[in-house]
Amino acid sequence: MIKNKKIDIKGVAIEGATLLSALIIIAIVVVMIVVIVNGGKQQLSWEFLTSFPTDGMTKGGIFPAIYGTFMLVIIMSVAAVPFGTITAIYLTEYAKENSVIAKTIRFAVRTLAVIPSIIYGLFGLGFFIKFVGAQVDSTFYGGQLKWGQPNLLWASLTMALLTLPVVIVSVEEALRTVPKDLRAASLALGATKWQTIWKVVLPGSISGIMTGTILAVSRGAGEVAPILFTGAAYYLATLPGLSDQFMVLGYHIYVMTTQSANVDQTLPIQFGTTCVLLMLTFLLNMTAVILRYRIRKKKNN
Amino acid sequence: MTIEKINTENLILYYGQKLALNNISIKIPEKKVTAFIGPSGCGKSTFLRSLNRMNDLIDSVRIEGKVMIDDINIYDKNIDVVNLRKKVGMVFQKSNPFAKSIYENIAYGPRINGISNSNQLDEIVETALKNAAIWEEVKDRLGDSALGLSGGQQQRLCIARTLAVNPEIVLMDEPASALDPLSTSKIEELIVQLKEHFTIVIVTHNMQQASRISDHTAFFYLGELIEFDKTRKIFTNPEKKQTEDYITGRFG
C-alpha cells in the first residue's frame, strides 16, 4: 500500500488551476504595461511634456494637462489631508471605542468609500457649483458668473471628498501603530491629551500618515468621473487659476480617444498621455511602498 | 516618626460590573518604599494606578471612596488630573521610552511644563539621569535614540524621565519584572537611594525583592488588602494566615 504511489490527478488539477489564474493576473499587468509603454515611448520627449497642444489638438504636447493634474492633486491634498487627519484623531484618540458617534462616523466613512465616483461628480456640481458657488456670486459679485461654474477649486474639493475615506482610514491605522504604552507614559508625566497627541502620537505616526496620503493622492490623480462636471476642460490656451477650468491627464486621454477630430492621427499622443499618467501613479505608489517599507524596518529594530 | 503621604479610605473600584478592589484603606508613609505584593489579578496594580488616576483612561472603571494625598482627595471634582500626575509619577512594567533621543526623553516632561531655557534643561536632564544612576552610561551619547539602549538601561531612563518632572511620589508597576538579574539589582539599589527624596510605591511579583527594598509591605488578595505592616513583620511574623501562606509559597 505504501509503495503504491498514485498520481493525485485532482490535486494536480486544482494546483494547476490556481496557478493559472495567478498567472493570468501577471499576464494582464505585463500586457497592459508593454502595450502602453511601447505605444508611448516614441512620443515621450521633453517637448511633449512641456508644450501646449497645437493644430487643433492633433499635435504638440500635454503640458497643461500635467500642470492641471498637479494642481488638482495639490489642492485636493491641502483640503483632504488635514480634514481627514483631524477626523482620524477624533476617532482614535477621543471617541470611545464603541460609542454611537464613533460607530456613526465609521459607517459614514465606509459609505463614502463605496459611493461611485460619478456620484461625487454630481454632488460636486450640485453642492459646490450650483449652491456654494452661486451663493458666492450673488453675495460678492452681484450675480455675475464667477464661482458658480466648473473650475479647478470645485473639482479639487470634489476630489478631496472622494479621497477622504482613504485618508481617514489610513491615518487611523497609522495612529493606532503608536503603542498605548507611549500615550500612558506621556500622560503619566503630566502631559495633557493634546500634548500627548501632538508630541508623541503624531510624530510617531508621521510616515504612516504620509503613506496613506500618497496612496489617496495617487487614486485622485487617475480619477476622471468626479471632475467631468466640476472643472475638466477639453482644451485651454492658458494655464488655469482657481476659478478657471483646467486640463487634466485622465480627461485628456478620454477626449483624445473619443472626441478628437482625427483619432487615428492622435494615437501617439493618446499613448504618450496614458504613459505619463501611468508613470505618475506608479511613482506615487512606489514612494508610498518605500515609505511603508522604511517604517516596517524601523519598527522591527 | 513617619508622616503619611497617601491615605486611602474605603476605596472601591469596579471594572464594569466586576468588583476589583474592595474597601481598601491604607496609609502609605512619606519617603519610604512601600511594596504591594500578591498573586496575579489580586488588584495590586489596579490599586497602584488609582493613586495617580491612570485608571481614568479605562472607560469601564468606576471608583468610590477617597484617595487622600497630602490631605487632598484626588478624586474630588475640582482636581486637575494633569497636575496630579506631575506630582505622582509612574514607571511602567514594560519600559516605554519615546522614539526620541535620550536627551529628549528626559526633557519631555520639563518641556511640557513650559521650561525651554536650554541651560536649565541641560541641568535637569543631567540631574535626572544621575539620580537614576544611568548618567555615566549615556552622558556621551545623549543625542542617540533611546531605543538603542538595553532593556535595563531603558527602564532606568524611564525612571529618570519620571524624576525629571520632580514628582513627590513615584509609583512603580513591576519595574524590574522584564529585566535580567543584574539590571534588576541596579534598579533595586536605585529604588533604595530614591526614597531619600521620594515616596516610592512599588508593585512586585518578587517577594525577595519586596523584602530587600521595602520598608512596608501590603499583601493583596482577591481585591482586598489582607495585611499591611512593616516589611520585616510581614515576612517574619505575619498576623494573617493568608499572608503567611503566600509568603511561604503555599499558594500564589
Side-chain angles (χ1 to χ4, degrees), chain B residues 3-249:
Chain B
I3 309 162
E4 66 193 47
K5 185 72 176 172
I6 306 170
N7 181 3
T8 74
E9 293 169 19
N10 307 101
L11 186 80
I12 295 173
L13 185 146
Y14 292 92
Y15 283 120
Q17 295 298 311
K18 187 178 166 282
L19 181 67
L21 292 173
N22 190 10
N23 246 355
I24 309 290
S25 297
I26 192 170
K27 290 181 165 68
I28 295 172
E30 189 176 30
K31 293 186 181 168
K32 300 275 184 210
V33 177
T34 302
F36 294 170
I37 61 169
S40 299
C42 67
K44 57 193 190 303
S45 285
T46 301
F47 182 58
L48 189 80
R49 285 165 167 270
S50 63
L51 301 181
N52 68 342
R53 292 188 56 174
M54 286 303 277
N55 285 329
D56 286 16
L57 305 182
I58 304 165
D59 294 333
S60 62
V61 164
R62 191 157 52 83
I63 288 175
E64 292 164 19
K66 285 180 180 174
V67 175
M68 311 293 291
I69 293 182
D70 292 335
D71 295 323
I72 296 166
N73 182 10
I74 64 166
Y75 284 94
D76 253 3
K77 271 193 292 241
N78 54 6
I79 288 293
D80 180 354
V81 180
V82 166
N83 283 328
L84 167 71
R85 291 189 187 133
K86 284 172 185 159
K87 183 170 165 167
V88 189
M90 183 163 216
V91 176
F92 297 80
Q93 178 172 9
K94 220 175 116 227
S95 62
N96 50 4
F98 301 127
K100 302 175 190 284
S101 70
I102 293 170
Y103 185 96
E104 285 304 323
N105 262 277
I106 309 297
Y108 182 86
R111 278 194 209 279
I112 57 175
N113 279 321
I115 297 172
S116 55
N117 178 306
S118 66
N119 288 335
Q120 208 180 342
L121 280 175
D122 289 352
E123 204 181 306
I124 292 172
V125 169
E126 183 173 340
T127 310
L129 288 168
K130 278 179 175 162
N131 282 339
I134 190 179
W135 171 251
E136 288 303 322
E137 291 157 65
V138 300
K139 65 179 177 188
D140 298 322
R141 47 171 172 152
L142 293 176
D144 291 3
S145 170
L147 302 180
L149 297 171
S150 73
Q153 287 173 327
Q154 285 191 8
Q155 192 59 300
R156 276 179 287 146
L157 181 83
C158 290
I159 293 174
R161 184 175 64 185
T162 303
L163 301 183
V165 186
N166 208 12
E168 295 169 23
I169 300 168
V170 179
L171 308 175
M172 299 187 174
D173 191 357
E174 300 189 44
S177 68
L179 302 179
D180 61 89
L182 191 67
S183 303
T184 301
S185 75
K186 278 190 184 158
I187 301 263
E188 288 183 6
E189 276 169 41
L190 173 60
I191 290 169
V192 175
Q193 284 164 24
L194 288 176
K195 73 176 178 182
E196 193 184 330
H197 302 290
F198 306 94
T199 302
I200 312 275
V201 186
I202 178 172
V203 163
T204 178
H205 254 110
N206 179 331
M207 279 181 284
Q208 285 75 31
Q209 184 171 69
S211 68
R212 279 194 298 264
I213 64 176
S214 70
D215 303 290
H216 295 79
T217 296
F219 171 60
F220 288 82
Y221 185 57
L222 297 178
E224 313 228 2
L225 174 61
I226 305 296
E227 189 168 354
F228 176 57
D229 213 321
K230 292 225 164 70
T231 297
R232 198 185 312 142
K233 172 103 167 66
I234 293 278
F235 280 92
T236 54
N237 187 20
E239 298 283 331
K240 301 271 173 55
K241 180 151 189 320
Q242 282 164 308
T243 313
E244 192 181 345
D245 286 350
Y246 183 71
I247 59 165
T248 54

Side-chain angles (χ1 to χ4, degrees), chain A residues 181-196:
Chain A
D181 288 2
L182 293 187
R183 294 181 176 82
S186 174
L187 294 170
L189 289 166
T192 61
K193 190 146 195 165
W194 174 244
Q195 285 168 330
T196 302

Side-chain angles (χ1 to χ4, degrees), chain A residues 233-294:
Chain A
Y234 180 82
Y235 171 74
L236 289 167
T238 53
L239 294 180
L242 275 185
S243 62
D244 300 319
Q245 292 196 30
F246 61 104
M247 292 174 72
V248 66
L249 287 169
Y251 186 63
H252 194 59
I253 294 170
Y254 171 75
V255 296
M256 294 302 272
T257 49
T258 59
Q259 322 281 303
S260 173
N262 188 339
V263 174
D264 289 333
Q265 196 195 337
T266 60
L267 205 57
I269 298 181
Q270 297 164 28
F271 268 116
T273 313
T274 312
C275 214
V276 170
L277 180 58
L278 199 65
M279 288 191 317
L280 184 74
T281 46
F282 266 17
L283 205 71
L284 287 167
N285 275 291
M286 279 304 289
T287 317
V289 169
I290 290 168
L291 262 176
R292 186 180 288 171
Y293 171 75
R294 283 179 47 188

